[in-house]
Amino acid sequence: MQQEFVERRQWLTKAEFLDLLGASNLIPGPSSTELAIHIGYRQAKGWGLLIAGVCFILPAFLLVMGIAAVYRRFGTLPQVGGALYGMKAVVIAVILQALWKLMGTAVPTWRLTLIGLLAAGGMFFRLSPLLILFGAGATNAAVQGFKDRTRAGIAPLAALIGLIAALVALPLLLNRTMGTGAISSPALFLVFLKLGSIVYGSGYVLLAFLQSELVTRLHWLSAAQILDATAVGQITPGPVFTTATFLGYLLGGPTGAIVATLGMFLPAFLFVAVSGPLVPRLRKSPVASAFLDGVNAASLALMGGVTWELAVSALHDATTVLLALASAILLFRFRVHSVWLLLGGALLGLLISTLSHPPAR
């Protein structure tokens, strides 16, 4: 998105992009989808919000539903391990490029650099991402308020914090109304609405919530089915949260896929519609603006921490290390579009997998 909307189309400045990234990280739900919806809202208000969100989700939804139909009939997935092997190495280089380009805008001062380092330390000690984000924002806002000796403009900041607190409380209320009964469309919708309202961060965090909700509490699926669904969510283009489409299809066919997808992504549209207008207002207050700057610095720190964890698991042999290095050179030096690199990584991974494990005759 940074490459597409900041560099190529120039719809946003780096600072505006970082503000929307920080705002997306502050609210529950799929961060990548919420960032797309924020950009749509910034470009064309209500219609932009709707069009950007639907267009971001729809291709992955259709593709995942097709794969789910094959899986439901044959009980196995197409071979995705080889493609993931190559793609994950390329992803490391893509994220590093985005981090490098955004770092100068997100941490222009020593104070924000220090806050970013503290946020990275908090992630190392496994603190809650939400605690890290709010802690970074509150720290920078407090320092700025003390420096300027002012509290002017704190109202929009208080409104945003109150809104997020209400959004976090919503799934707790939903949980009280949900039992462990039979599978039905309303039950499916409520389960995934709850997950879409409470999960923070990337699709990788979603795996733990799916396991707890659908396997441990409701006993609707097995752990193996959850892992298969997560693999499909990773290998297909679009948001990883379309894992909900796959699981909904397993539980209720095409209707279940539609209902689960609506439940998972509906909160993202609502949260952005309510919080989006507050972001420009935050920038008008030095204290509230400092809060957003702190959140932006912490967001990049969290992004860097996730990249490190992914690199440890993805770059486990000479081939993946060389592929990541080659991708980094093509991105930084020759500005090759990341989509082509990801496709090339997937094809190379499939080729290596086929040569390593040729089909039996």
Side-chain angles (χ1 to χ4, degrees):
M1 290 188 195
Q2 190 270 346
Q3 189 178 60
E4 182 72 18
F5 299 122
V6 177
E7 295 182 17
R8 196 169 81 84
R9 298 183 183 274
Q10 297 182 349
W11 286 359
L12 301 166
T13 66
K14 286 184 180 180
E16 290 171 333
F17 181 81
L18 279 166
D19 283 348
L20 298 184
L21 176 65
S24 300
N25 282 325
L26 276 175
I27 56 179
S31 298
S32 62
T33 306
E34 288 165 343
L35 181 55
I37 297 171
H38 265 298
I39 293 171
Y41 179 83
R42 177 65 65 90
Q43 291 300 114
K45 301 302 179 183
W47 279 110
L49 176 148
L50 184 63
I51 291 170
V54 170
C55 289
F56 188 74
I57 297 165
L58 186 59
F61 165 77
L62 295 173
L63 187 55
V64 169
M65 191 159 71
I67 295 174
V70 174
Y71 180 88
R72 197 182 190 196
R73 181 170 182 179
F74 298 105
T76 58
L77 284 172
Q79 181 61 38
V80 299
L84 281 174
Y85 172 83
M87 286 180 71
K88 285 183 177 180
V90 177
V91 165
I92 302 303
V94 172
I95 301 176
L96 285 175
Q97 185 205 32
L99 279 170
W100 177 258
K101 289 182 176 180
L102 294 173
M103 196 173 297
T105 305
V107 285
T109 65
W110 281 108
R111 188 171 79 202
L112 287 172
T113 301
L114 179 59
I115 287 174
L117 291 173
L118 290 173
M123 188 174 183
F124 178 79
F125 287 104
R126 302 292 179 184
L127 296 181
S128 165
L130 187 59
L131 179 63
I132 293 172
L133 289 168
F134 271 99
T139 299
N140 200 44
V143 172
Q144 188 67 40
F146 180 78
K147 178 182 176 182
D148 295 343
R149 300 182 183 277
T150 180
R151 298 179 183 178
I154 294 181
L157 177 59
L160 179 63
I161 294 175
L163 170 66
I164 294 169
L167 297 180
V168 172
L170 175 62
L172 300 178
L173 297 175
L174 285 174
N175 194 47
R176 291 178 177 274
T177 66
M178 292 162 50
T180 57
I183 301 171
S184 65
S185 291
L188 268 178
F189 179 78
L190 283 177
V191 165
F192 284 97
L193 182 70
K194 172 189 171 184
L195 292 172
S197 301
I198 196 172
V199 177
Y200 270 90
S202 71
Y204 300 101
V205 180
L206 179 63
L207 176 60
F209 284 89
L210 291 171
Q211 175 78 20
S212 172
E213 191 71 16
L214 299 178
V215 178
T216 305
R217 194 176 79 86
L218 296 173
H219 307 291
W220 284 356
L221 294 168
S222 68
Q225 289 172 314
I226 298 293
L227 288 173
D228 286 344
T230 306
V232 171
Q234 290 181 46
I235 193 62
T236 50
V240 178
F241 276 57
T242 47
T243 300
T245 305
F246 187 93
L247 294 173
Y249 195 100
L250 294 188
L251 292 168
T255 301
I258 294 171
V259 166
T261 306
L262 284 173
M264 179 63 80
F265 288 100
L266 180 60
F269 287 89
L270 298 177
F271 294 168
V272 172
V274 176
S275 65
L278 291 173
V279 176
R281 292 183 61 194
L282 292 177
R283 278 298 174 201
K284 295 179 181 179
S285 159
V287 175
S289 182
F291 177 86
L292 201 54
D293 285 339
V295 170
N296 289 343
S299 294
L300 283 197
L302 294 179
M303 197 172 165
V306 171
T307 306
W308 172 259
E309 293 180 359
L310 289 175
V312 169
S313 63
L315 309 182
H316 50 75
D317 57 28
T319 302
T320 49
V321 171
L322 288 174
L323 182 56
L325 288 174
S327 300
I329 292 171
L330 290 172
L331 281 167
F332 281 88
R333 179 67 180 85
F334 298 101
R335 301 184 182 277
V336 177
H337 200 287
S338 56
V339 171
W340 297 114
L341 291 178
L342 287 166
L343 180 61
L347 293 174
L348 182 61
L350 285 171
L351 177 62
I352 293 173
S353 178
T354 302
L355 293 176
S356 302
H357 304 92
R361 297 190 178 185

